[in-house]
Amino acid sequence: MAKKNKKNGPIESIDDPRFKSFLMSALRQQSRYWFPKTECLNQARVGRGKYQCALCPSIVGPKEIKADHINPVIPIEGFDSWSEVIKRIFCGVDGYQALCKPCHDIKTKEENTKRKSLRKEKIMIQYYEDDQRKDSD
């Protein structure tokens, strides 16, 4: 009998590395129905099928507007706890801003660049500390 490929098999425990991604996806999917998120978009509405971006003067259609979390769901410093993630993803209306797709993409890219930079910095610090430890032994 052929061995099951764990990558494609079902997630059977919370220890599976794919569990975090699975849970995050489920939370984001359910947040689509969160009233404050919908209310944010209603407040950005300036006419029938027209929305104003919170960062630029653009007026865009419903397919070009996003309800963006002002504070990222996963902080720049990294994942802290599920309870914090849930608080951030299901925040109040004041935790959202309506952004046009180009502004949302720019903001997301900046956040990801900061995350990557911080991750590299942490790796370099760890490498330096390990090197210092080896020298002292």
Side-chain angles (χ1 to χ4, degrees), residues 27-43:
L27 288 170
R28 284 204 184 270
Q29 187 176 14
Q30 289 307 307
S31 75
R32 285 191 236 159
Y33 308 106
W34 186 240
F35 177 76
K37 189 173 187 176
T38 307
E39 186 58 26
C40 165
L41 294 174
N42 287 340
Q43 290 175 4

Side-chain angles (χ1 to χ4, degrees), residues 37-94:
K37 189 173 187 176
T38 307
E39 186 58 26
C40 165
L41 294 174
N42 287 340
Q43 290 175 4
R45 190 169 182 248
V46 292
R48 185 174 181 175
K50 303 290 180 194
Y51 299 87
Q52 172 123 31
C53 176
L55 296 181
C56 72
S58 296
I59 307 272
V60 296
K63 291 184 178 182
E64 291 86 35
I65 196 79
K66 301 251 185 200
D68 176 69
H69 288 89
I70 293 171
N71 298 312
V73 172
I74 304 294
I76 302 294
E77 300 78 32
F79 180 86
D80 45 12
S81 72
W82 283 113
S83 60
E84 287 301 313
V85 167
I86 291 168
K87 283 180 193 175
R88 287 188 185 105
I89 204 165
F90 295 103
C91 61
V93 140
D94 56 335

Side-chain angles (χ1 to χ4, degrees), residues 6-25 79 82:
K6 189 160 185 162
K7 280 186 177 181
N8 297 330
I11 297 171
E12 296 175 353
S13 78
I14 61 172
D15 297 326
D16 187 318
R18 299 171 298 156
F19 180 73
K20 184 177 173 183
S21 176
F22 166 77
L23 194 54
M24 198 62 210
S25 175
F79 180 86
W82 283 113

Side-chain angles (χ1 to χ4, degrees), residues 44-137:
R45 190 169 182 248
V46 292
R48 185 174 181 175
K50 303 290 180 194
Y51 299 87
Q52 172 123 31
C53 176
L55 296 181
C56 72
S58 296
I59 307 272
V60 296
K63 291 184 178 182
E64 291 86 35
I65 196 79
K66 301 251 185 200
D68 176 69
H69 288 89
I70 293 171
N71 298 312
V73 172
I74 304 294
I76 302 294
E77 300 78 32
F79 180 86
D80 45 12
S81 72
W82 283 113
S83 60
E84 287 301 313
V85 167
I86 291 168
K87 283 180 193 175
R88 287 188 185 105
I89 204 165
F90 295 103
C91 61
V93 140
D94 56 335
Y96 289 101
Q97 60 186 348
L99 298 182
C100 65
K101 192 160 176 5
C103 287
H104 182 267
D105 292 346
I106 290 167
K107 181 177 179 264
T108 301
K109 187 174 183 177
E110 286 172 358
E111 289 170 355
N112 289 337
T113 301
K114 288 178 187 175
R115 279 189 189 96
K116 189 174 185 179
S117 173
L118 189 61
R119 196 168 32 244
K120 281 183 180 178
E121 188 178 311
K122 285 179 181 178
I123 290 169
M124 291 303 294
I125 290 169
Q126 184 65 43
Y127 177 77
Y128 176 77
E129 288 173 352
D130 289 348
D131 198 41
Q132 292 297 315
R133 211 173 298 122
K134 285 179 187 175
D135 288 345
S136 67
D137 290 343

